[in-house]
Amino acid sequence: MRRDPAEAWTLFLLGEMPDPEEPVSVGLLSGTVYRALRAGLEGDTSAGIRLLRDSDALDEVGTDPLAAGFERTPIVQAYRAVAESLLWLWQGDLRAARDALSLAAASYPVALPFAGLGVALARRLELAVDGRIGVLSRALAEVLPPTMRIDQLVDRALSAYLAGETDAAAVQMSLWKERGAVQGCFALPGLDEVGPLSVPVSWEPPDAAEARRLREVVRAARGGSWEPELRSVADSGRAIVSPFERARVEALLGTAYVLREEFASGRRHLRVAQSLFAEAGAGAWVRAVDTRLTRLAEAEAASLRVETGPIPTLPAGDPLERCRMAWAPLLTERELEVAMLIAGGASNREIADRLKVSVRTVEVHAGRACTKLDVRTRASLTVLAYRTGHHV
């Protein structure tokens, strides 16, 4: 079915990819911006950016059926600017994305396009680059109409995660899912390193989709198959072009190896992630990886001690609560409860009395938890719990 360009644009924003042979408008909004975003979603972000920056093509823009008479107004230019920043982000150059949006904000109302996407975009870029919400996004939020609400739960989760507070980040992401996983029409970098798995997302380019899939595989890897699964993820991750998306895969791989006390592999992946985050301009993520590498050095020193010796002093906070967050996606609710009670020093009889089940039931759940966590004894599970709480 051949549609009017304005109708095609509207359906595109609602999540339908029109047929490539359908007519495309010569207008700036339903033509140029539409083609640029479509190119990005099909994996060619460079072509989309070139299209938006082609001054000759923009000079030849004709009447736009979606904004007839307003083709060169500030609001239409704001759509073009937000689209360009989004494409730079999808390409993995966060510094260029932030610079493009900041420059445009001085001249155009970039908070308004795509139901406030520019504000959410500014917040995610500031968090990734600087580790905090900055002046630009705060100023943009002030001009949003009251009906445009930007869900901030993912922003809070990212801020906590980058600060090393993974338990708080997981809580925010769980709340976000419970409230319907509110998000804009186009995907922005969220947080799937912690919290619920398999959350549906908006339109996203192939690199982002593949990276998200690989991170799910890493988080779900368990039992005796974890090693080949992680190697497969590492091989697949090398095909991801975006340095930012690949870096997040590498960072999660590094953490997964460290949690299994494969320190050399963990360090290698974390260093790759560190380099890629720096290339992407994601300074806050670089600092987060720096912290993990420091903890890894401490863990390696601790691993040289006898396993039955005293557990080393851990940083502030409850390490077992952080461990609970890390293990939650791997174990059933009852297996997790039994594992955490074992890590807390309770005997099987004490656990059985507390949970009002038989000792045999406790033994079954404990055995399954140990198998999934790839440990053999209660002592090994306890040590792993504290070290997990130390790393995440």
Side-chain angles (χ1 to χ4, degrees), residues 374-390:
D374 203 26
V375 295
R376 295 185 178 183
T377 66
R378 292 170 60 95
S380 297
L381 186 146
T382 301
V383 171
L384 177 63
Y386 278 88
R387 288 178 179 168
T388 299
H390 186 51

Side-chain angles (χ1 to χ4, degrees), residues 21 41 62 88 95 97 132 211 227 294 303 311:
E21 296 183 359
L41 290 170
W88 280 116
R95 191 179 293 107
R132 63 182 183 277
E227 192 167 10
T294 299
S303 71
I311 295 172

Side-chain angles (χ1 to χ4, degrees), residues 77-276:
Q77 292 295 334
Y79 271 91
R80 184 194 64 77
V82 171
E84 181 184 338
S85 178
L86 186 63
L87 286 166
W88 280 116
L89 173 61
W90 286 347
Q91 192 171 75
D93 192 337
L94 277 63
R95 191 179 293 107
R98 189 180 66 168
D99 290 347
L101 192 61
S102 299
L103 183 62
S107 304
Y108 309 122
V110 296
L112 301 181
F114 307 110
L117 178 68
V119 180
L121 178 57
R123 292 170 68 89
R124 298 291 167 84
L125 289 171
E126 289 169 346
L127 282 170
V129 176
D130 302 319
R132 63 182 183 277
I133 301 298
V135 174
L136 175 61
S137 62
R138 293 182 190 278
L140 293 178
E142 289 297 319
V143 303
L144 274 180
T147 54
M148 288 187 184
R149 184 176 64 88
I150 302 299
D151 194 302
Q152 300 179 12
L153 289 171
V154 178
D155 297 333
R156 294 172 189 160
L158 280 165
S159 182
Y161 183 77
L162 292 171
E165 302 169 2
T166 54
D167 51 347
V171 168
Q172 294 295 323
M173 291 305 297
S174 295
L175 286 173
W176 176 70
K177 184 178 182 182
E178 290 172 9
R179 295 180 183 179
V182 178
Q183 52 195 312
C185 53
F186 298 113
L188 299 177
L191 183 66
D192 49 34
E193 284 83 348
V194 297
L197 288 169
S198 302
V199 176
V201 300
S202 306
W203 284 109
E204 62 181 347
D207 264 2
E210 175 65 0
R212 183 168 54 84
R213 183 189 71 81
L214 293 177
R215 289 191 294 270
E216 286 190 8
V217 172
V218 174
R219 290 188 58 192
R222 63 187 68 181
S225 64
W226 69 265
E227 192 167 10
E229 288 180 353
L230 295 191
R231 284 201 302 268
S232 177
V233 167
D235 291 339
S236 298
R238 295 187 186 98
I240 296 175
V241 177
S242 165
F244 181 67
E245 292 294 349
R246 183 184 169 191
R248 289 179 61 187
V249 174
E250 293 286 347
L252 194 60
L253 276 170
T255 299
Y257 275 111
V258 170
L259 292 178
R260 293 167 172 83
E261 299 190 356
E262 295 287 341
F263 296 134
S265 296
R267 184 191 306 106
R268 182 173 64 255
H269 285 289
L270 287 171
R271 285 179 174 169
V272 171
Q274 186 180 45
S275 177
L276 290 169

Side-chain angles (χ1 to χ4, degrees), residues 28 67-80 107-109:
L28 177 57
F70 298 92
E71 293 84 1
R72 299 182 183 278
T73 60
I75 185 62
V76 175
Q77 292 295 334
Y79 271 91
R80 184 194 64 77
S107 304
Y108 309 122

